[in-house]
Each structure stands twice: as structure tokens, then as C-alpha cells.
Amino acid sequence: SQQGEEDPQALSIQEGENATMNCSYKTSINNLQWYRQNSGRGLVHLILIRSNEREKHSGRLRVTLDTSKKSSSLLITASRAADTASYFCATVSVLDMRFGAGTRLTVKP
Amino acid sequence: DSGVTQTPKHLITATGQRVTLRCSPRSGDLSVYWYQQSLDQGLQFLIQYYNGEERAKGNILERFSAQQFPDLHSELNLSSLELGDSALYFCASSVSNSPLHFGNGTRLTVT
């Protein structure tokens, strides 16, 4: 069963705009990770945020984590057509690691 | 390149058959994970091995089994295949619960 639930399921924006994807989860976690998947390829790790962290940056990516609301967001700034992909959050607990259903991002040139 | 190798890339077989998917983890990674990805079910966790031992089990059917060998490569065996088993099967590896490194998957088509 899924742990994280991404929102929205699909997002279409113009190049240069920012894209925000959200992830909600249900149980306590050790960390939360975001991955990207190009069509038909394996997932690629983007960023990890620990349960005691609130915000993390990596290049054009900004991730926030609110453990009280059990939610995280991924912001991609100044999007590019090459950012078109599916984005997944993954929650890591003591027991296991579970992925959400993903957000399909389309960036139009 | 993630360093995780999956073979074969594509597999077409008939219902009722049995197939074996193979995964070579990234050098040094002791954990191997198997995931199934289909259009309507998203990315489903199947099973995890750590250094040869089963660590966690997800939504793995009884018709499916896996193992991790002493050289750390892993195999996922799918038997009595059904049409609904058609999916992308991913293997991932990691040092522990650190970020996963995914292979490019095996696309299984059951006809």
C-alpha cells in the first residue's frame, strides 16, 4: 500500500514558472525523499530531508517538511522543459520505505 | 548511470509461465529492493533484502518470490503469470535506508 500521497496528480506549467508538488503521509518517518522519473526509466534520487529538518535546498529545488501536518512540498523554481517527468515522494520509517503515486509534471517550452 | 543493472530489459511471455528477473546492485550496496510499477497501481514495494536476508515484505504475491545471493545480486521469480502482472519491475539498491539507486527496470508483458 502507498504511504505518501502526492498532490496534484498532474501539473502543467510554462517554462520559467515555478512548480510545487505536495506529499502527505500518515505515519511517523525518519526521513522523506523526493525522486524523479523520466518516462520508462528508473527513479533518480533528488533530495532527502530528515524528520528534524524543516527546509532543504539543492540547486533549483526546495523541499519543506512539516511533521506536525505530516506533509512535504517540493518546489522547482524557474522550470525548464527538461524538468518534465514524474516526481515521487518516499517516506522512510523504521520498518520500510514507501512511495507515493507521483505527480506528473509537464513543462511547456 | 546508477550502477544498478537489471536484465533483461524486456520480457514477453504467456499466461501461466514463469520468469526470472535479475538485478546486480551498485558496488558496495547491501540492500536490494524490488518494486512493481503499473499504470493503475503506481510504484508498489514488493520486497527488500539486506546482505542475503529478507528485511521487509510489501505487496508481494505468493506466486512471486525473490532471493539475494552471496555475491549480493538478486533475482525475482514470477510464476503462474497473469495478464495483470504486466508491468515495469524495478530493482533498487542502497547502503541502508539511504537514498535508493534504481535500475532502468524490466518491462514484463504477459500475453
Side-chain angles (χ1 to χ4, degrees), chain A residues 1 7 14 31 33 40-41 62 77 81 86 93 95-96:
Chain A
S1 61
D7 166 52
Q14 292 294 136
N31 66 70
Q33 301 173 26
R41 307 282 287 181
R62 174 179 169 252
T77 60
S86 291
S93 68
L95 293 176
D96 58 23

Side-chain angles (χ1 to χ4, degrees), chain B residues 36 60-66 76-79 81 85 89:
Chain B
Q36 179 193 57
I60 189 165
L61 300 172
E62 285 191 10
R63 300 183 286 108
F64 296 0
S65 65
L76 178 67
N77 300 296
L78 315 176
S79 61
L81 285 167
D85 297 327
Y89 290 84

Side-chain angles (χ1 to χ4, degrees), chain A residues 77-94:
Chain A
T77 60
S79 64
R80 305 166 182 168
D83 294 329
T84 294
S86 291
Y87 292 82
F88 295 85
C89 70
T91 53
V92 179
S93 68
V94 173

Side-chain angles (χ1 to χ4, degrees), chain A residues 9-13 19 21 76 79 83-87 103-107:
Chain A
Q9 289 186 330
L11 181 61
S12 182
I13 59 175
M21 289 159 270
I76 303 175
S79 64
D83 294 329
T84 294
S86 291
Y87 292 82
T103 292
R104 175 68 191 167
L105 173 66
T106 302
V107 182

Side-chain angles (χ1 to χ4, degrees), chain B residues 7 13 16-17 22 38-39 42 57 61 70 88 92 94-95 101 110:
Chain B
T7 58
T13 190
Q17 295 299 305
R22 195 177 191 278
S38 54
L39 282 175
K57 217 167 187 177
L61 300 172
L88 264 171
S94 75
V95 174
H101 301 269
V110 183

Side-chain angles (χ1 to χ4, degrees), chain B residues 46-88:
Chain B
L46 296 178
I47 198 164
Q48 179 200 352
Y49 282 84
Y50 178 81
N51 202 21
E53 300 289 327
E54 182 182 304
R55 173 65 65 91
K57 217 167 187 177
N59 300 320
I60 189 165
L61 300 172
E62 285 191 10
R63 300 183 286 108
F64 296 0
S65 65
Q67 55 183 326
Q68 187 180 26
F69 295 88
D71 66 352
L72 300 179
H73 91 271
S74 178
E75 293 182 354
L76 178 67
N77 300 296
L78 315 176
S79 61
S80 303
L81 285 167
E82 302 175 359
L83 295 177
D85 297 327
S86 295
L88 264 171

Side-chain angles (χ1 to χ4, degrees), chain A residues 2-7 22-34 49-54 64-73 89-93 98-100:
Chain A
Q2 307 290 8
Q3 160 72 308
E5 294 288 338
E6 284 95 341
D7 166 52
N22 302 297
C23 171
S24 59
Y25 57 93
K26 296 176 182 175
T27 61
S28 296
I29 61 171
N30 290 339
N31 66 70
L32 186 145
Q33 301 173 26
W34 285 90
I49 186 165
R50 293 184 169 76
S51 60
N52 61 352
E53 295 176 313
R54 292 296 166 259
T64 63
L65 178 64
D66 187 335
T67 53
S68 66
K69 295 181 179 178
K70 289 188 167 56
S71 68
S72 174
S73 68
C89 70
T91 53
V92 179
S93 68
R98 304 283 173 136
F99 284 81

